[in-house]
Amino acid sequence: MSGIIEYGMFTLCLIGIFGILTLGLNIQWGLTGLFNIGVTAFAAVGAYTSGILTAPPSDAHLGGFGMPLLVGIAGAIIVSGILALCVGLITLNLRADYLAIASIGIAEIVRLFLKTEGWLTGGVRGMEIGRPFEGWLGGNFTLNYLIFTILVVAVLYVLLEIARRAPWGRVLRSIRENEDSTMAAGKSVLAFRLQAFVLGSCVMGLGGAMYAHFFGFVSPEAFRPMIFTFLVWVMLIAGGSGNNKGALVGAFVIWLIWSGSEFMTGMLPADLSTRAGSVRILLVGLLLEIILVTRPEGLLSEAGERKRQIARERRRAGEEG
Amino acid sequence: MAEFLQLTIYGIVAGSIFSLGAIGLSLVYGILRFPHFAHGDLITLGAYFTLVPVSILGAPPELSFFFGVGATMLVAVAVDQILYRRLRKVAPVILLISSVGVALILRSLVQLIWGPGNQYYSQGIEMPWRLAGVNVKPDHLLIVAGAVVLVVLLHLFLQKTKTGKAMRAMSDNADLAQVTGIEVNKVIIWTWVIGGGMAAAAGVFLGIDTRLHPVMGWRLLLPVFAAAILGGIGRPYGAIVGGLIIGLAQEYSTAFLSPPYKPAVAFALMVIMLIFKPTGLLAGRKA
């Protein structure tokens, strides 16, 4: 029984962490229409920054500053933000698909950097960073981390909802819908895009740091672009982009499907089970295509709900009249 | 000097492979208006399809090449007709996301069927010829010659056939081309036949030069995009020039930069191009 509870808490932690990443992507793609397929890069930079700041001293890599967790997380947010600022300044005034192409470039370069610069990151062997909250609340790490994750997600969600409803969020959505008319209204499209891109990447850095501390270990292998970037994308699109609640629902549903597929592939015969990873990615890819063709606006789409409601009312009015 | 020549040879070989990949990418981008992120995985697929007759019948890779190219063309057209065609009416960016999904699907299929490890067309080491202190492998000549033949065939197709002309017209100005009564779907199918075939050829050549691996094509995507942008989107001839420039620049950079950072060179060139001349060398579509 306690095993099941432990597993449930473990799953919820990961859902929370992926929820954070999906919220970050929602600022960029959902609200502003910025196509970033370098989610992994920003998460990895956050993870390594926080790791270097908080890890105990080591000869294998830079760091060992032994800073508190919150300092590490703040560092993660700042460094991811700086990286995003540099990328954004170069690419954001170009056409949307060029940002997409540039973002694979960033992801690839960050991956190579983390692998090659062993003095900084420990190279392919990765970095041992220890886990926080060791002795708190009876010493159950997963429970403590779950409480922490829930707190972070809740605060982040409230802040992002406020930002989305504020004039600032409305400008972002109007840029997504019609860039020219936003410009005609006197808004600096480039400045708003840059803010959204940097803020979203900061949130991804936060998510990456949370991920690193959850496992107490970071390595380039943990940030494989396929798993990270694409799970987050599928989560956002399935949940309903543009909608923070949808982002969290998407993270929940897709993570359950993703970890459920682990059980399914676990039942495959032994010679196939070594290839289980590719079966799972295949399933997620197919799921993405099915969503795009049949339900492109996702599970929770406010616009879709409203449209259906208007149509229903019109039909009723038609019957009466 | 010998080192410079050696890097030039490696650069031309790599550049030929990039050019073949970039031709298809540029045509698809020009005609269908979206960056096709699964193009790298078409490259992978071409390499692995070619492996089938090699490993089952023991056929030489030079002959199996035709099988691999044909099969990849079929897959490219099938993906378009089954999936992309349904999404064409919505925003191009949805096609972009969808192509990322296709990339995932193709790669995991390759991993499922052929396994995640390295594969080779032939075992054993090929002895290079030594000319004036420079190593040249016979395979390198084969790759460059193959690329030249394919480019000449493409040139004849684009200049002499009605479909080729229609394709160039679509890529130049799709609206104007449609007004003159071009059959859009036919041109699109031909675009995939050519793009898929060229990508498959790039994959086979890369496989001959190095080895086969499920992410071989994905790793090529960045330099190939860089080549397409450098040459100008929708410009097949620009893509060839762009591919060679990227190939040479990446190899020359190893003289003073750690080799893992080769993709960074492609990226830097692409960014510089986008900042100073977003239409590319041969004035393709504007950003």
Side-chain angles (χ1 to χ4, degrees), chain A residues 242-276:
Chain A
N243 182 345
N244 286 327
K245 209 182 294 161
L248 292 180
V249 169
F252 185 80
V253 172
I254 298 300
W255 185 264
L256 287 188
I257 293 175
W258 177 247
S259 53
S261 70
E262 196 176 8
F263 283 112
M264 266 170 48
T265 50
M267 287 185 285
L268 289 173
D271 55 325
L272 271 179
S273 66
T274 51
R275 294 173 184 181

Side-chain angles (χ1 to χ4, degrees), chain A residues 32-92:
Chain A
T32 327
L34 301 173
F35 197 94
N36 173 7
I37 55 169
V39 178
T40 323
F42 297 102
V45 166
Y48 272 93
T49 309
S50 190
I52 288 171
L53 285 174
T54 60
S58 155
D59 298 329
H61 56 82
L62 178 79
F65 299 108
M67 302 271 205
L69 177 69
L70 289 181
V71 176
I73 287 182
I77 293 172
I78 293 168
V79 176
S80 301
I82 293 172
L83 176 67
L85 187 67
C86 300
V87 177
L89 281 174
I90 299 172
T91 53
L92 283 180

